[in-house]
Amino acid sequence: MTGPLRPSRSARSPRTLRTRLVVVSVVLIAVVCAVIGTVTTLALRSHLYDQLDGRLDEVGKRASGAFAPPGQDERPGAPGGAQAPRGIELDQFVALGPQPQYTVVAEVRDGTATEGKVGRRSGSAPYLSAQDLDRAQLAALGTVPADRRAHTLGLPGLGSYRAQYVTGPNGSFYVGIPTEDTDGIINTLILVEVCVTAAGLLAACLAGTVIVGVATRPLRRVAATATRVSELPLHTGEVNLSERVPDAECDPHTEVGQVGAALNRMLDHVRGALEARQQSETRVRQFVADASHELRTPLSSIRGYAELTRRGHEQVGPDTRHALGRIESEAGRMTLLVEDLLLLARLDAGRPLEFAPTDLVPLVVDTVSDARAAGRDHNWRLALPDEPAPVCADAARLQQVLVNLLANAQRHTPPGTTVTARVRRQGPWLCVDVEDDGPGIPGALLPHVFERFARGDSARSRATGSTGLGLAIVQAVATAHDGAVSVASVPGRTVFTVRLPALAPGPAPRPATEPFSGPTGFAEPTGSAEPTGSAEPAGSAGPVGPAAEPFSGLTGLTGLTGPTGPAAPAAESPAVPAAPHSQPSHSATTPTRQGA
């Protein structure tokens, strides 16, 4: 069982340096204010209670008779002195004496408080009147230790008191005076301290935010420069690394200036390294382009002479014919490699492509037709949308991408594998999927399939004629079209997806009915044509297109595999004018909409 979720460190602590500085400063000020307020309150409380205890001691001496008027000897029977009184009237003591209001006094006999009085002002009367203490109050006074020291206790109905046990000529008494006034002064002081501290903390927070914000402004400028540099595409191509921290923020006498100066030095080093890398890549790219261009002519000559020698009338032995065949085959393979290297060098150099509005549907149909001619031991399927799929692309390069993907699927999968070419829309993108149900790509190779000269293992091994640059060309062409290519592979399913920006659909006039006119040599399916806008049969696919069906659109074929049965002979196909590339006239997957 997992425990309760704990907040992350980033959620518990402030994120920015400015926030941390302000928070730490305010916390320190709060701690200092709390210490000062506590010490002040304790000192004042001690002083006020000392004064309160002094008044309590005077009350105790008056009650016990140990306090004599000035000029008289306090000892009983002393010469020139008066005889010390014996006993006091409790009512007169609390009502007429100089004692403060709510003074209590209780007579003690045999260690027990037997009678007690409290002086209290009645209504608006200017004098005090004595009131009796009840048993609970007398019992509370009886808990005061007989050590002749002041103690704090609470009397029921009267509040907090400082009480003391006293004894003298007049007898033994418990005396007490209230602490309400003293506690009120202390509470007022605490309230004032809290209010002043809160106001000071608020002012410190606002002032600290402004001051720290001004102090860290150079640091934010340095961070902004570093952020702009981090957003530059430094991994490829020529990089214009001109971002620098302003000279005003590079003062070596400040910490932020030292950071800015160090960042500028680092950017200078990085710029030098990038320029050296760019020059090296340019030289290598130029060398590859020049070497590829120069190798085309000798390779063509080698192939021509080998073919000429093989086709000559001279009698040559079988070993010589075999050697000439191998020379011609390897020369052809080297020619493919040189052409691929030359294309990659041109793409890396940023050579402009010939962009034009292009429909993906006929390109996919044509490339699948060519792939089926080269790989009859595979099952080829199409899944195309009902509407055109226009993109702005170089049709020749885009067709090369599709050829490479289909050839890759045909070359690296066993006979009988089903390969499906699919065109679909995904938001602002048009996607071309090439899916096969072969053994899949090994997990260790999957992150490197688009690298140049990447080789697989026996699960998807190179058969013959591969240069190891096909998928690298796919990625380079897709990137040149502002698109992307990705791959997902598990045993039994591998999908290469090419994403290209879709063009906004525009009005295109189309005939109401079109007979099926696929690639050259297709036979028209039997039956009359229906309007292209007719409803699809039940069970057809949704907006993306119909489900993939066996594809057999190849020059020289006389039939079409599909739900409509075999096609009529080619001689019966009526002559129709050439129609523009579109799904109804070039797809072999929706025969019911083209006439059945």
Side-chain angles (χ1 to χ4, degrees), residues 381-384 420-422 541 545-550 589:
R381 293 178 178 270
L382 285 172
L384 305 177
T420 303
R422 181 182 299 106
E549 299 179 4
T589 59

Side-chain angles (χ1 to χ4, degrees), residues 449-512:
V449 292
F450 296 107
E451 296 179 0
R452 300 177 184 185
F453 300 106
R455 301 296 187 191
D457 57 8
S458 57
R460 258 178 112 87
S461 62
R462 175 175 61 88
T464 57
S466 174
T467 63
L469 298 175
L471 294 181
I473 292 176
V474 170
Q475 186 181 48
V477 174
T479 303
H481 285 79
D482 294 330
V485 60
S486 60
V487 59
S489 180
V490 294
R493 184 175 185 269
T494 299
V495 182
F496 285 87
T497 301
V498 179
R499 292 179 174 85
L500 299 172
L503 284 179
R510 293 173 57 184

Side-chain angles (χ1 to χ4, degrees), residues 341-434:
L341 287 174
L342 183 59
L343 174 61
L344 286 174
R346 289 174 176 174
L347 291 175
D348 291 340
R351 297 285 183 88
L353 302 177
E354 297 179 0
F355 289 96
T358 305
D359 190 358
L360 288 177
V361 172
L363 286 179
V364 173
V365 172
D366 293 341
T367 52
V368 172
S369 298
D370 298 339
R372 187 180 186 280
R376 291 180 174 274
D377 53 354
H378 284 64
N379 299 321
W380 303 91
R381 293 178 178 270
L382 285 172
L384 305 177
D386 293 334
E387 66 277 356
V391 294
C392 185
D394 188 323
R397 297 306 177 201
L398 203 56
Q399 187 171 17
Q400 186 174 6
V401 167
L402 300 175
V403 169
N404 287 354
L405 291 177
L406 293 173
N408 180 75
Q410 182 266 332
R411 185 180 300 115
H412 299 299
T413 56
T417 301
T418 298
V419 182
T420 303
R422 181 182 299 106
V423 178
R424 58 186 175 88
R425 181 179 290 271
Q426 186 180 32
W429 303 91
L430 279 173
C431 301
V432 179
D433 298 332
V434 176

Side-chain angles (χ1 to χ4, degrees), residues 31 51 75 97 112 131-132 154 205 243 250 254 267 310 320 383 426 450 491 526 529 552 559 570 589:
V31 171
Q51 292 182 344
R75 294 173 298 172
T112 304
Q131 298 181 3
D132 295 331
C205 184
E243 293 290 343
C250 298
T254 64
L267 292 178
R310 182 170 54 85
T320 304
Q426 186 180 32
F450 296 107
T526 58
S552 58
T589 59

Side-chain angles (χ1 to χ4, degrees), residues 30 60 262-263 283 333 561:
L263 180 60
R283 288 193 296 268
R333 182 170 176 270
T561 304

Side-chain angles (χ1 to χ4, degrees), residues 190-204:
I190 294 175
L191 179 60
V192 171
E193 289 175 342
V194 170
C195 294
V196 172
T197 300
L201 291 179
L202 180 60

